[in-house]
Amino acid sequence: MNPFSSETRLRDMIRAIRACKTAAEERAVVRKECAAIRASINENDPDYRHRNIAKLMFIHMLGYPTHFGQMECLKLIASAEFPEKRIGYLGLMLLLDERQEVLMLVTNSLKQDLNHANQYIVGLALCALGNICSAEMARDLAPEVERLLQFRDPNTRKKAALCAIRIIKKVPDLAENFINPAAALLKEKHHGVLITGVQLCTDLCKVSPEALEHFRKKCTEGLVRTLKDVVNSPYAPEYDIAGITDPFLHIRLVRLLRVLGQGNADASDLMNDILAQVATKTESNKNAGNAILYECVETIMSIEDNGGLRVLAINILGRFLSNRDNNIRYVALNMLMKAITVDTQAVQRHRATILECVKDSDASIRKRALELVYLLVNESNVKPLTKELIEYLEVSDQEFKGDLTAKICSIIAKFSPEKIWYIDQMLKVLSEAGNFVKDEAWHALIVVISNASDLHGYSVRALYRAFQTSAEQETLVRVAVWCIGEYGDMLINNVALLDIENPITVTGSDAVDVVEVSIKRHTSDLTTKSMSLIALLKLSSRFPSCSERIRDIIIQNRGSLVLELQQRSIEFNSVIEKHQNIRSALVERMPVLDEATFIGRRAGSSPAIVPTSNSASLNLPNGVAKPPAAPLVDLLDLSSDDVPAPSSSGGGFLQDLLGGVDLLPGLNQTAISGTNEAPRTGTDILLDLLSIETSPTQSSSSITDILSSSQGDKSPVASLGEISSPPSLSTRATSAGADPMMDLLGGFSPNPPMPDNGPVYPSIVAFESSSLRITFDFSKAPGNPQKTTILATFTNMSQSIYTDFIFQAAVPKFLQLHLDPASSNTLPASGNGSITQNLRVTNSQHGKKSLVMRMRIAYKFNNEDILEEGQINNFPRGL
Amino acid sequence: MIHFVLLISRQGKVRLTKWYSPYSQKERTKVIRELSGVILTRGPKLCNFVEWKGYKVVYKRYASLYFCMCIDQEDNELEVLEIIHHYVEILDRYFGSVCELDLIFNFHKAYYILDELLIAGELQEPSKKTVARLISAQDSLVETAKEQRSSISNIIAQATK
């Protein structure tokens, strides 16, 4: 005997593997076996093929690679004997899947076996085809399967029917060939054939409207009759499960009726009686009966309206919901989700029970119930429901808290009847599960508080109290710190005290305590610490008596390893120490945050409905003229009501912020415009909340515009507003120099920018040589992400003037480009001015491909024609 | 439609896998690892359904084995429980009070039975008797082929003596 042939039998190999105590041992045994099998495969001994594949299947199940056995399966299938074919097909189904090319080689064997005289071999081939066939095989072998649907042996017919399902799923075009044979199967008496035939018809209806129409016309009555026969059939031991004859057939018939009745009143009428019979007569004490009832309820909910039946169905669901079996309750919740679109009132009746399910110990049931509660909430029941959910939040499992808080926040935002309720509920959520609250939720809360001018005092006091008990909840701390920074004075003076409140005695130093605790807590992350720093700066002006202490706290961060904190603390320190005169103006209260913009921006990510309290959102304080301009103007203290600040002071404090470096006013401009173009701005909602920035959705209205728009009536601002800054400075400032500036004015954005809602893109240098420089600034109109407007700025770096300057560009097919006329065709020398030109690009593959452009520049230089060409690949992503 | 069938022991060992939707080898390992983590840790009185990546996994424990089937969102979970039970009853009848060891050493038989029960992720036969009859018919086909072969080899052996 050959020494390399697989000497161990399958049974022995399994024993050896089971005897292994460690994974390493098991690997060693498997490696040895695999080596033996490979050797045996190379011997090409047909006697052992059978055993080799059996072993490989076991090894495969343990998760080891077995691809080297694939060809052996094909050889076994090609052999003439049944035992070889049986194990060969099993190996084929286990070791291969439809995506392997080896599979194509088996098509021919399959074809032969489908035509084999032995019905069991035909059965093996059908089974393999049904389980792993690919689209090509489906096309090749569909005629065989079609023929086998009429085969004399019922066991072959049922296999062929299921095979046909796989084929039409792979190649829906083939559906029409199967419509008539499938309809014929519905008249069968053999349960196996009937059940597969019904299934085939159901799947045909899904892929082909033609089939649906055909079955609806020709078969509905017959199916109703069949169902009636099955329901009323006497005891049949072969098919009986829990006293019901063939529940599988019941379910499939009811499901096919649902498909036929959906959206067709006539067909629905035909099946009303039998559905009523199934719904009333089916025993519900065993799982099989409940499975039928469940299917029946779904059918009743889906077919055309029949009031009586629906009541019956909802009653069944009510019974399910109060069942003690968790499975039944789960499916009841699942079904109620679908029923809610049909009959909300009926589902509302079960609200109390559903709410109980949210508190169930079973995660699957909790999840279903929570989804359902979320759908059930409306204006009238939001208060009690939210109360219940928040109470449950205290005791719920940690892993469920995330889902639960997200849903509660969403409910509160969607249905809050008044702002004070919104604030109260959000505070409860934040104190209970602040660590699970998503950023959008607490950002929204800040926006709401900022907009509720009569509730500022109330909010800050409530937050102060909440902080005393729940300081470990990160997001609560953030909101508290922000509010104390903004409205700290209202905290200590009990300003705007509501009737329902008890006055509290808080001193300025108590308020500073809160911020100090949050900045010093080691679990606080960068966002919290940064927010605390800003709050401290604000408090230093609100409570001059604590100014020294605040400075001490700020100074402690001077040594922080985080650049952001370090730099900010140094800057703030200098503001407190040296610039008392401008400090109060610098840290004035934030203007009201624009609620509509915030919601509009969120709408992209979550389709939350605008809170009902939206009407108050445009309440602008002290008559600031233009909402978008307000924040900046306010910060610079240039609002139209106030005394126009001399430009020197405005520029002066900017210089101070930048550390007293003597800067040209021009750089200030570019730095400001940098804030608007820098990639981080506008992408982070947090930043907006803290920053002076205008609503970034209108990215076209850069601060440049805002300044120049006030140019007309405010002459001191005019010098500030003159923004034809040299692009070289602009770009440099945007990339690096503007950062500290931006952050100082704009607060902190330690989180990475969220790319999906960033309408502001960094400028790029599209071309640069010793003689010419081109920069691109980008803007997008809100609501049309495909279109980008590029402002190209050309600067002459050489010593001579360029004339006849022409810029041309070309783009690939998926882009459309439109060039506006340039501002001039003469380019002054030495960077003393520039030409600008607008390019409008529409990207039809927005989100998939980024922009790319070829360009050619022609101009005359000392009366010499110059031609420069280049390709621009460094466009920011997402344009 | 049933996307796959898994039999996992309480220790997390895989006893049978059958895939009706295309999953690459890597995905299969991942699915098994994830699901056994979820299912084996669930308490005994909880419901038999787990929501998983937009699908539902229906599982039922018999002695030390978990039978799991993954189905679409809109499928009937209760029916799938019944299918699992149907399969277990057929196994029980075939092996005569089936235990985990039967399924380990005769894993191919468990597959043959499953193939008579499900094709393309759909139920094929509601009668346990029919499945048993078909399996034993094929088993006897194999037996006769073996006998024939051994008798032939006996004849050859005797002839060449």
Side-chain angles (χ1 to χ4, degrees):
Chain A
M1 197 163 202
N2 188 319
F4 290 109
S5 64
S6 327
E7 50 303 305
T8 46
R9 294 184 305 153
L10 172 65
R11 186 164 281 269
D12 298 330
M13 182 195 82
I14 296 177
R15 269 205 199 103
I17 290 175
R18 278 174 58 76
C20 296
K21 296 216 165 43
T22 62
E25 247 178 88
E26 182 186 291
R27 274 197 297 275
V29 172
V30 169
R31 206 180 305 127
K32 209 174 123 225
E33 278 298 335
C34 283
I37 294 169
R38 273 176 210 260
S40 166
I41 288 174
N42 289 340
E43 286 289 303
N44 211 1
D45 183 348
D47 289 347
Y48 288 104
R49 225 170 247 157
H50 186 279
R51 185 190 281 176
N52 287 340
I53 289 301
K55 283 181 181 176
L56 276 181
M57 283 192 280
F58 192 83
I59 292 170
H60 177 86
M61 207 152 54
L62 297 174
Y64 296 94
T66 50
H67 49 272
F68 55 87
Q70 289 172 353
M71 287 310 289
E72 293 296 289
C73 293
L74 303 194
K75 285 182 194 159
L76 281 170
I77 291 169
S79 97
E81 301 292 320
F82 180 77
E84 272 77 20
K85 278 191 190 293
R86 197 186 193 195
I87 198 99
Y89 275 118
L90 186 58
L92 184 78
M93 286 186 281
L94 269 179
L95 306 183
L96 274 80
D97 72 61
E98 61 173 281
R99 284 171 302 197
Q100 265 137 341
E101 294 195 349
V102 188
L103 203 58
M104 286 307 293
L105 301 174
V106 88
T107 311
N108 216 21
S109 302
L110 272 173
K111 193 165 190 163
Q112 276 171 9
D113 285 348
L114 289 174
N115 291 310
H116 205 281
N118 184 336
Q119 58 154 343
Y120 294 110
I121 290 181
V122 176
L124 288 177
L126 279 173
C127 182
L129 189 62
N131 286 344
I132 59 164
C133 90
S134 60
E136 289 94 340
M137 290 165 80
R139 262 184 238 280
D140 290 345
L141 299 173
E144 262 71 27
V145 175
E146 209 184 312
R147 182 177 56 78
L148 288 170
L149 281 174
Q150 281 126 22
F151 198 72
R152 65 192 147 69
D153 174 51
N155 291 317
T156 306
R157 288 205 296 277
K158 73 183 186 197
K159 286 190 162 78
L162 292 183
C163 237
I165 293 179
R166 172 103 183 181
I167 289 173
I168 57 162
K169 277 185 185 167
K170 291 284 162 202
V171 191
D173 303 350
L174 293 170
E176 59 178 313
N177 302 351
F178 287 101
I179 294 175
N180 284 322
L185 293 179
L186 296 180
K187 300 191 183 76
E188 296 264 358
K189 286 280 173 281
H190 186 281
H191 279 232
V193 183
L194 191 51
I195 218 171
T196 52
V198 171
Q199 189 64 49
L200 173 57
C201 290
T202 313
D203 283 306
L204 275 169
C205 290
K206 278 186 206 155
V207 297
S208 151
E210 219 177 295
L212 175 61
E213 215 33 61
H214 179 89
F215 295 136
R216 193 177 269 158
K217 269 205 206 105
K218 300 270 168 66
C219 304
T220 310
E221 268 175 279
L223 284 166
V224 170
R225 221 168 22 242
T226 315
L227 182 57
K228 212 171 264 168
D229 290 346
V230 179
V231 171
N232 297 323
S233 78
Y235 176 67
E238 201 176 340
Y239 298 105
D240 187 82
I241 293 177
I244 299 165
T245 305
D246 204 343
F248 301 115
L249 183 57
H250 267 90
I251 289 170
R252 279 174 180 67
L253 282 168
V254 171
R255 193 180 300 155
L256 179 54
L257 286 180
R258 170 163 79 236
V259 176
L260 299 180
Q262 228 159 14
N264 186 300
D266 293 342
S268 299
D269 269 353
L270 282 174
M271 59 190 76
N272 277 340
D273 288 350
I274 186 63
L275 288 177
Q277 197 190 342
V278 172
T280 47
K281 276 193 152 179
T282 310
E283 290 283 335
S284 63
N285 50 2
K286 287 275 166 50
N287 181 54
N290 284 325
I292 297 176
L293 283 174
Y294 177 43
E295 199 69 43
C296 187
V297 168
E298 185 162 6
T299 299
I300 292 172
M301 292 294 177
S302 309
I303 64 170
E304 288 310 292
D305 195 22
N306 177 313
L309 271 183
R310 293 245 158 110
V311 172
L312 202 58
I314 295 278
N315 285 343
I316 292 175
L317 289 182
R319 254 185 9 240
F320 273 19
L321 203 56
S322 53
N323 201 305
R324 282 174 51 208
D325 186 344
N326 278 333
N327 289 344
I328 306 295
R329 282 199 295 150
Y330 175 88
V331 298
L333 291 169
N334 207 14
M335 207 54 239
L336 285 169
M337 292 263 282
K338 292 176 187 161
I340 206 165
T341 50
V342 178
D343 189 350
T344 320
Q345 256 354 79
V347 183
Q348 289 284 5
R349 271 203 299 274
H350 300 295
R351 206 170 58 217
T353 325
I354 296 166
L355 210 50
E356 280 312 301
C357 291
V358 175
K359 304 169 187 173
D360 201 276
S361 59
D362 187 330
S364 299
I365 289 184
R366 275 198 312 248
K367 190 160 174 251
R368 272 290 126 233
L370 185 60
E371 304 260 318
L372 191 54
V373 166
Y374 184 65
L375 294 178
L376 279 178
V377 178
N378 58 29
E379 278 82 1
S380 60
N381 61 23
V382 60
K383 285 191 174 182
L385 274 178
T386 313
K387 185 164 172 285
E388 283 271 354
L389 291 175
I390 290 178
E391 275 168 16
Y392 176 58
L393 192 58
E394 296 167 26
V395 292
S396 68
D397 290 350
Q398 289 297 319
E399 67 263 34
F400 190 48
K401 277 192 172 151
D403 273 356
L404 194 56
T405 43
K407 283 279 189 294
I408 296 176
C409 291
S410 169
I411 289 171
I412 295 172
K414 213 166 157 183
F415 294 106
S416 80
E418 66 233 347
K419 287 201 164 179
I420 183 161
W421 185 83
Y422 180 106
I423 293 169
D424 279 344
Q425 304 307 313
M426 280 307 292
L427 284 196
K428 281 188 199 160
V429 174
L430 288 179
S431 343
E432 209 48 65
N435 291 333
F436 296 91
V437 171
K438 297 259 185 336
D439 281 353
E440 304 93 82
W442 67 266
H443 292 166
L445 174 61
I446 288 186
V447 173
V448 167
I449 292 177
S450 146
N451 275 288
S453 50
D454 47 338
L455 295 174
H456 286 166
Y458 172 77
S459 309
V460 69
R461 284 187 293 274
L463 279 160
Y464 178 80
R465 279 194 211 98
F467 182 87
Q468 305 303 324
T469 55
S470 316
E472 73 285 354
Q473 306 289 352
E474 189 91 37
T475 52
L476 176 79
V477 172
R478 288 183 195 166
V479 178
V481 161
W482 187 87
C483 284
I484 289 173
E486 291 299 318
Y487 314 119
D489 44 337
M490 299 177 120
L491 173 65
I492 55 166
N493 299 330
N494 281 327
V495 175
L497 197 68
L498 300 188
D499 300 339
I500 50 167
E501 271 185 283
N502 292 322
I504 49 171
T505 15
V506 184
T507 61
S509 102
D510 289 339
V512 176
D513 279 345
V514 169
V515 187
E516 186 179 5
V517 166
S518 65
I519 201 169
K520 287 197 174 156
R521 218 163 41 116
H522 60 89
T523 52
S524 295
D525 70 1
L526 181 58
T527 309
T528 313
K529 289 190 173 171
S530 313
M531 288 178 80
S532 305
L533 262 186
I534 294 201
L536 284 172
L537 179 66
K538 294 214 165 194
L539 287 181
S540 74
S541 148
R542 308 260 194 283
F543 313 136
S545 56
C546 297
S547 185
E548 247 342 274
R549 186 177 156 211
I550 288 172
R551 204 169 68 85
D552 288 344
I553 304 172
I554 288 179
I555 285 174
Q556 283 166 16
N557 279 290
R558 224 166 33 178
S560 171
L561 290 177
V562 183
L563 180 66
E564 192 71 35
L565 294 177
Q566 190 190 57
Q567 186 164 355
R568 234 44 77 213
S569 63
I570 291 168
E571 286 160 356
F572 290 177
N573 180 35
S574 101
V575 170
I576 294 174
E577 210 167 49
K578 299 183 201 144
H579 304 284
Q580 303 270 346
N581 54 336
I582 59 152
R583 190 177 62 191
S584 62
L586 187 60
V587 300
E588 249 185 23
R589 196 169 289 167
M590 284 279 288
V592 171
L593 300 158
D594 189 1
E595 210 167 0
T597 315
F598 177 74
I599 291 157
R601 188 136 25 100
R602 276 181 71 192
S605 52
S606 65
I609 294 169
V610 177
T612 41
S613 52
N614 198 18
S615 51
S617 65
L618 283 170
N619 248 349
L620 290 166
N622 47 12
V624 174
K626 283 190 290 290
L632 179 76
V633 176
D634 203 38
L635 185 91
L636 292 175
D637 207 5
L638 298 174
S639 73
S640 38
D641 280 2
D642 294 347
V643 186
S647 68
S648 58
S649 107
F653 93 68
L654 284 172
Q655 283 170 23
D656 293 339
L657 291 183
L658 286 171
V661 182
D662 194 18
L663 290 163
L664 297 167
L667 182 59
N668 282 336
Q669 305 316 317
T670 52
I672 292 174
S673 64
T675 60
N676 213 27
E677 286 151 0
R680 303 209 215 156
T681 335
T683 54
D684 195 336
I685 295 161
L686 165 70
L687 187 68
D688 296 338
L689 291 178
L690 301 169
S691 79
I692 48 131
E693 213 227 317
T694 57
S695 59
T697 34
Q698 308 154 307
S699 51
S700 55
S701 72
S702 67
I703 295 186
T704 312
D705 296 340
I706 298 160
L707 286 175
S708 49
S709 67
S710 55
Q711 192 175 343
D713 39 55
K714 295 275 173 290
S715 55
V717 191
S719 65
L720 258 173
E722 249 172 35
I723 319 249
S724 57
S725 51
S728 54
L729 278 175
S730 156
T731 38
R732 211 173 301 139
T734 314
S735 54
D739 264 0
M741 182 66 190
M742 175 198 104
D743 282 335
L744 189 57
L745 295 172
F748 299 85
S749 70
N751 302 329
M754 293 177 277
D756 53 342
N757 58 353
V760 177
Y761 297 90
S763 308
I764 59 161
V765 179
F767 182 85
E768 190 168 22
S769 70
S770 56
S771 51
L772 182 67
R773 181 186 173 92
I774 307 174
T775 56
F776 282 3
D777 298 278
F778 306 96
S779 58
K780 269 187 195 293
N784 197 347
Q786 294 197 343
K787 282 195 177 144
T788 311
T789 308
I790 304 174
L791 177 70
T793 314
F794 308 96
T795 317
N796 180 353
M797 317 288 276
S798 71
Q799 301 303 319
S800 321
I801 195 165
Y802 296 165
T803 54
D804 298 339
F805 188 90
I806 296 171
F807 170 82
Q808 293 170 303
V811 289
K813 271 188 187 144
F814 68 90
L815 296 172
Q816 276 186 338
L817 176 68
H818 185 93
L819 287 171
D820 286 349
S823 59
S824 151
N825 64 354
T826 318
L827 197 53
S830 319
N832 279 332
S834 55
I835 297 178
T836 58
Q837 187 168 14
N838 262 328
L839 289 66
R840 279 172 289 149
V841 185
T842 310
N843 184 352
S844 62
Q845 304 264 17
H846 175 72
K848 288 184 214 133
K849 294 188 180 170
S850 50
L851 298 188
V852 61
M853 192 180 283
R854 255 177 201 291
M855 60 175 182
R856 169 191 282 191
I857 306 119
Y859 52 86
K860 278 196 173 141
F861 170 68
N862 293 341
N863 271 338
E864 222 175 288
D865 279 326
I866 305 277
L867 192 68
E868 301 210 55
E869 285 181 319
Q871 180 155 344
I872 313 167
N873 293 320
N874 58 338
F875 284 100
R877 285 165 150 263
L879 280 174
Chain B
M1 173 191 180
I2 297 166
H3 294 279
F4 55 81
V5 178
L6 291 181
L7 262 68
I8 308 172
S9 77
R10 219 175 41 178
Q11 289 79 31
K13 291 257 186 229
V14 182
R15 296 301 176 210
L16 181 145
T17 58
K18 187 88 184 173
W19 308 86
Y20 296 103
S21 294
Y23 289 83
S24 71
Q25 200 54 49
K26 228 181 190 169
E27 289 166 336
R28 290 180 184 186
T29 329
K30 196 162 159 248
V31 167
I32 293 169
R33 190 165 3 98
E34 278 183 26
L35 278 182
S36 44
V38 176
I39 290 172
L40 299 182
T41 52
R42 276 174 70 87
K45 286 204 176 135
L46 307 183
C47 72
N48 295 87
F49 319 126
V50 175
E51 294 182 22
W52 178 76
K53 295 188 173 170
Y55 296 104
K56 283 177 186 160
V57 177
V58 179
Y59 71 92
K60 191 156 181 174
R61 183 177 164 182
Y62 290 89
S64 57
L65 267 188
Y66 285 85
F67 287 68
C68 318
M69 293 189 180
C70 172
I71 54 169
D72 287 319
Q73 263 317 326
E74 69 274 5
D75 285 340
N76 188 331
E77 301 92 338
L78 297 179
E79 192 212 358
V80 176
L81 268 184
E82 212 53 57
I83 293 180
I84 291 178
H85 190 68
H86 193 57
Y87 180 44
V88 172
E89 282 195 326
I90 297 172
L91 287 174
D92 207 47
R93 202 172 285 191
Y94 183 82
F95 289 104
S97 172
V98 68
C99 68
E100 195 182 335
L101 279 181
D102 290 326
L103 297 186
I104 296 172
F105 285 102
N106 295 296
F107 67 93
H108 50 293
K109 301 267 171 70
Y111 278 109
Y112 291 143
I113 294 173
L114 189 60
D115 282 342
E116 285 298 333
L117 196 67
L118 299 175
I119 287 182
E122 300 289 353
L123 184 72
Q124 178 187 175
E125 180 55 63
S127 156
K128 298 189 262 283
K129 218 164 132 190
T130 311
V131 174
R133 195 165 46 76
L134 289 170
I135 291 291
S136 68
Q138 297 180 60
D139 282 352
S140 61
L141 262 184
V142 174
E143 284 308 312
T144 33
K146 268 190 190 164
E147 274 168 28
Q148 263 180 9
R149 230 171 280 174
S150 59
S151 62
I152 290 173
S153 57
N154 277 347
I155 293 166
I156 296 172
Q158 275 168 1
T160 50
K161 242 176 203 170

